[in-house]
Amino acid sequence: MDKILIHLLLLDEFQIVALAGGLAIAGGGLGALFLKVRIPLRRVGYLWFLAGLNLALAIAQMGWLYLPPATEAGFFSALVIGLYGSFLLFGVGVYYASAARSNDICGRARMAWMGFVPLVNLVLVFRRGGAMNAETGDRSGLPRYVYDPLLVIGALAVFSLSQRLVDDAMDTPPWQPGDSPALEKLLVSTRTLEQSFAIEAEASSQTLPLRIDEITVLTAMRAEGDTLYMTFEIEDDTITGLNPEFEPLIAEWQCTPDTFANDLARGGRIMSIYKGADGQVIAEYEITQEDCDTAI
C-alpha cells in the first residue's frame, strides 16, 4: 500500500488540486446518496457551517507536517489516506450544509448542488429563505441588525484564518529527504534507475567541486542510462596510476545504504574515473552489485 500511495506525493500542484476537488465532489455525491437532510439552515448559519468546514479542513492538512515521523512509525498509508479522506468528508459536509440551506430557500434539497460551484454558491449565501422557518423579516431588530452582522464578521474571520493556515502550510515544506530514511526509501522505490541517477547527478553537480581528501577532488558527475559517471582529480602530479587493490575500497564506499546501494542492487553501475594533475585518465573503476557482494 505504501508504494502505491507514495505516488500521491509526486503529483504536481495542479494534479493535487484536481484530486482534492474530485474527492470533495465525490463526498458530495455520497452525501446526496445516503443523507436525508430535513432541517433548514438560515443564511448566517450556512455561512458559519462553511467557515467551520474550511477551518477543519485547513487544520487537517497540517497533518502533512507529521509525514516523516508517521512514516518512520509505520503509519504512512494511514496518514495519507486520512489526509486525502478529509477532502471526502469535506464534500459530505458541504452537501449537508447546502441541502439544509436549500430546504430553507425552497423547502427541498434540490439546490444543494450549488454549494459545490464557485460564485453560484453565492445564491445560497444571499438568497432569502423562510420556506421551512421564519426568516429575518419576522425577527426583532436587535438580532437582525446587530447579532447577524457580528456573526457574519466572525464567519469571515474564520475564513480568513483558514486561508492563513493554508498559506503558511504551502510556504512550509512538509518534509525534507533527510527527515525520514523510510520516506526517502519509499520515494527512491518509485523512481526508475535512470531517474534516480539523473536526479543524483543534477543535485550533486550543484555542490561540485567537492574535496574528498588532501589530494582528491570530485570534479564532475553525470548520468547516462543505468550508469553514473564520477570524475575525480588527483592533485599530486607525482601519482601516475592507482593500485588495483584500491577498487574494493571504492566499492565499500559506494555500496553503503547512504550512497548507491539501492541503485546498484537494481542493476546500476558506478564508473569512477580518476585523472591526474595533467588531466589525463590514470585509472577507471566500474562498480556493480557483484563488487558490493564481494566488498561487504
Side-chain angles (χ1 to χ4, degrees):
M1 180 64 75
D2 287 358
K3 291 187 177 181
I4 296 175
L5 295 177
I6 190 65
H7 290 280
L8 295 178
L9 297 186
L10 305 178
L11 299 177
D12 59 36
E13 184 176 352
F14 175 79
Q15 291 172 322
I16 292 175
V17 171
L19 178 58
L23 288 171
I25 293 173
L30 290 175
L33 187 62
F34 295 106
L35 295 180
K36 302 298 180 183
V37 183
R38 295 183 173 85
I39 66 169
L41 200 60
R42 293 178 54 245
R43 287 177 289 190
V44 173
Y46 176 67
L47 193 63
W48 263 99
F49 205 119
L50 293 185
L53 286 175
N54 276 273
L55 181 59
L57 183 64
I59 293 174
Q61 295 311 301
M62 301 298 288
W64 288 111
L65 299 175
Y66 299 94
L67 190 61
T71 305
E72 292 296 320
F75 297 112
F76 173 82
S77 292
L79 181 61
V80 172
I81 291 173
L83 290 172
Y84 276 99
S86 63
F87 290 102
L88 197 70
L89 295 176
F90 177 79
V92 174
V94 170
Y95 171 78
Y96 184 90
S98 301
R101 179 69 191 127
S102 179
N103 285 340
D104 189 54
I105 294 173
C106 62
R108 292 185 296 170
R110 62 185 178 89
M111 300 175 64
W113 63 271
M114 292 183 175
F116 294 89
V117 183
L119 296 182
V120 177
N121 185 35
L122 295 178
V123 173
L124 299 179
V125 175
F126 292 108
R127 187 165 177 176
R128 185 180 179 88
M132 295 180 66
N133 71 330
E135 206 9 332
T136 55
D138 298 324
R139 302 171 71 227
S140 62
L142 190 63
R144 182 178 181 181
Y145 296 108
V146 178
Y147 295 160
D148 283 355
L150 289 176
L151 288 171
V152 169
I153 293 172
L156 294 178
V158 173
F159 275 115
S160 178
L161 174 60
S162 302
Q163 187 59 49
R164 177 64 181 272
L165 291 176
V166 171
D167 292 341
D168 289 345
M170 292 182 67
D171 292 338
T172 304
W175 56 273
Q176 296 292 338
D179 293 342
S180 170
L183 181 57
E184 177 66 12
K185 185 176 180 179
L186 274 176
L187 288 169
V188 169
S189 70
T190 66
R191 303 170 185 157
T192 65
L193 182 60
E194 291 76 10
Q195 289 173 329
S196 182
F197 276 158
I199 292 172
E200 178 64 32
E202 181 179 1
S204 298
S205 295
Q206 299 176 4
T207 64
L208 299 181
L210 178 65
R211 180 165 295 279
I212 306 301
D213 55 33
E214 291 81 358
I215 62 172
T216 308
V217 178
L218 175 61
T219 59
M221 186 180 294
R222 61 185 174 87
E224 290 186 7
D226 64 354
T227 304
L228 183 66
Y229 293 86
M230 304 176 67
T231 302
F232 300 86
E233 180 180 333
I234 304 297
E235 296 181 330
D236 189 340
D237 55 8
T238 64
I239 298 178
T240 58
L242 295 178
N243 193 321
E245 296 180 356
F246 187 53
E247 185 171 6
L249 297 178
I250 298 177
E252 186 175 350
W253 165 48
Q254 294 180 345
C255 294
T256 61
D258 293 335
T259 52
F260 305 109
N262 292 329
D263 296 319
L264 290 168
R266 293 193 291 166
R269 300 186 305 156
I270 310 293
M271 288 294 298
S272 296
I273 304 169
Y274 287 82
K275 295 183 177 182
D278 59 359
Q280 298 298 313
V281 176
I282 61 176
E284 292 185 357
Y285 302 101
E286 179 182 356
I287 306 300
T288 64
Q289 182 59 40
E290 183 177 349
D291 298 297
C292 295
D293 295 337
T294 303
I296 299 178

